[in-house]
Amino acid sequence: MGEKRKPIVFNTEDLLEKEMHDYAKSINFSGWAKGKLMPAALSRLAQRGVDIEPYRNRRYGN
């Protein structure tokens, strides 16, 4: 992926955003995001006629 990543900015003065910031630092964010995107990506591949069976058992995140 050649696109430049944009940082996620949290206002640590705000209690809710500070909590989100602390939680984001503690998890495997990349794995979590891949896990959330995987069902949609598999569906799109299946619509294009791609055999998705080799990809179904992949696990990402927690």
Side-chain angles (χ1 to χ4, degrees), residues 3-20:
E3 295 181 29
K4 186 175 180 181
R5 290 184 180 185
K6 294 182 181 178
I8 299 173
V9 180
F10 294 99
N11 174 6
T12 56
E13 302 284 321
D14 179 276
L15 185 61
L16 177 59
E17 290 203 19
K18 181 174 180 4
E19 188 62 31
M20 288 188 292

Side-chain angles (χ1 to χ4, degrees), residues 18-31:
K18 181 174 180 4
E19 188 62 31
M20 288 188 292
H21 176 260
D22 292 343
Y23 182 63
K25 289 190 314 183
S26 72
I27 64 172
N28 176 353
F29 193 77
S30 177

Side-chain angles (χ1 to χ4, degrees), residues 1 5 14-15 22 24 28 36 40 44 46 48 51 55 61:
M1 299 267 163
R5 290 184 180 185
D14 179 276
L15 185 61
D22 292 343
N28 176 353
K36 295 295 182 187
R44 289 171 54 120
R48 292 185 199 139
D51 179 17
Y55 305 106

